[in-house]
Amino acid sequence: MKKVIYVLILPLVVVSGLLFANREIPNETTKKPVQKQLSAAAKNAEMKKWEATPTGKKFKEWEVSPRGKKVYAAEAKIWKHITNYTNMEGVVTSLSLPPGSRLGFGVMVRINDEDYIVTFDAEKHQLEQLHNLKVNEKIMLKSHHVSHAPKYSYPIISCEYLERDHKVIFKRIPRKGGC
């Protein structure tokens, strides 16, 4: 009887050993293929292809229009502050964004006699202090990024740091796991 039990258990032990030996360890990071950077010539070729599309044509028309030139001129006024990540003094002009905007929570701010859309990538607990902003209130903000879109008549500043009366009321929390 003992021999029969040993004969039945032995294959079970061998099979389970093989199964454990072949299974993948879930903690190992899987190797993802790294996308190659395009060469300058390839980037230019892709850009030319995009400019030939209807969207690219509309964007190019917007760039040379008075509205597009105004947006680029406003970006140029703050470019030094953006690249050096220095304080920009502004005044809140509106607590709402232009009609039809899809930028999330943001306010309109006047910096150096130009209007800007200032958006916040804020967590829920950070929004309370941002909702306490008032029109004509002076603020200091910092950012690493300014963008534009033909849909808007103003440059878009992604705020990373905001203070009012020398008190920090917003500081962007970096996302976990990368950018």
Side-chain angles (χ1 to χ4, degrees):
M1 183 70 175
K2 283 185 179 182
K3 287 184 182 182
V4 172
I5 293 175
Y6 286 127
V7 169
L8 292 174
I9 292 178
L10 182 63
L12 183 64
V13 170
V14 171
V15 170
S16 61
L18 289 174
L19 288 176
F20 279 113
N22 288 334
R23 76 177 187 148
E24 288 186 35
I25 299 171
N27 291 339
E28 284 185 22
T29 57
T30 58
K31 292 183 180 180
K32 296 180 183 176
V34 177
Q35 212 174 27
K36 291 183 180 179
Q37 293 289 331
L38 294 176
S39 67
K43 284 181 185 179
N44 287 338
E46 287 296 319
M47 187 65 148
K48 294 285 183 195
K49 277 186 0 188
W50 177 77
E51 287 174 355
T53 66
T55 306
K57 288 177 184 176
K58 282 185 180 179
F59 184 79
K60 286 305 223 178
E61 289 172 8
W62 173 80
E63 280 186 318
V64 297
S65 72
R67 192 171 153 196
K69 288 179 181 178
K70 179 182 175 283
V71 169
Y72 279 121
E75 283 182 21
K77 282 187 174 183
I78 62 167
W79 192 249
K80 182 179 174 186
H81 294 286
I82 297 294
T83 56
N84 295 331
Y85 194 65
T86 57
N87 285 337
M88 293 180 275
E89 185 176 332
V91 176
V92 178
T93 58
S94 175
L95 299 175
S96 60
L97 296 179
S101 67
R102 295 183 176 189
L103 297 171
F105 178 74
V107 295
M108 297 295 296
V109 175
R110 181 166 288 235
I111 302 170
N112 297 336
D113 298 323
E114 292 288 342
D115 288 327
Y116 297 87
I117 296 173
V118 178
T119 62
F120 301 91
D121 184 16
E123 304 276 326
K124 284 188 178 186
H125 67 276
Q126 295 175 307
L127 287 175
E128 186 178 320
Q129 288 192 0
L130 292 172
H131 284 298
N132 291 334
L133 288 172
K134 295 178 178 76
V135 174
N136 294 327
E137 199 164 38
K138 287 190 178 188
I139 58 172
M140 296 293 263
L141 62 116
K142 290 182 184 180
S143 176
H144 280 295
H145 186 72
V146 63
S147 61
H148 52 267
K151 181 178 180 178
Y152 304 105
S153 299
Y154 312 100
I156 304 161
I157 299 173
S158 300
C159 186
E160 296 182 31
Y161 175 87
L162 180 77
E163 65 180 50
R164 172 184 61 200
D165 299 328
H166 304 289
K167 293 179 186 162
V168 177
I169 62 170
F170 174 76
K171 188 171 183 181
R172 188 180 72 81
I173 300 170
R175 296 186 185 267
K176 294 193 183 338
C179 301

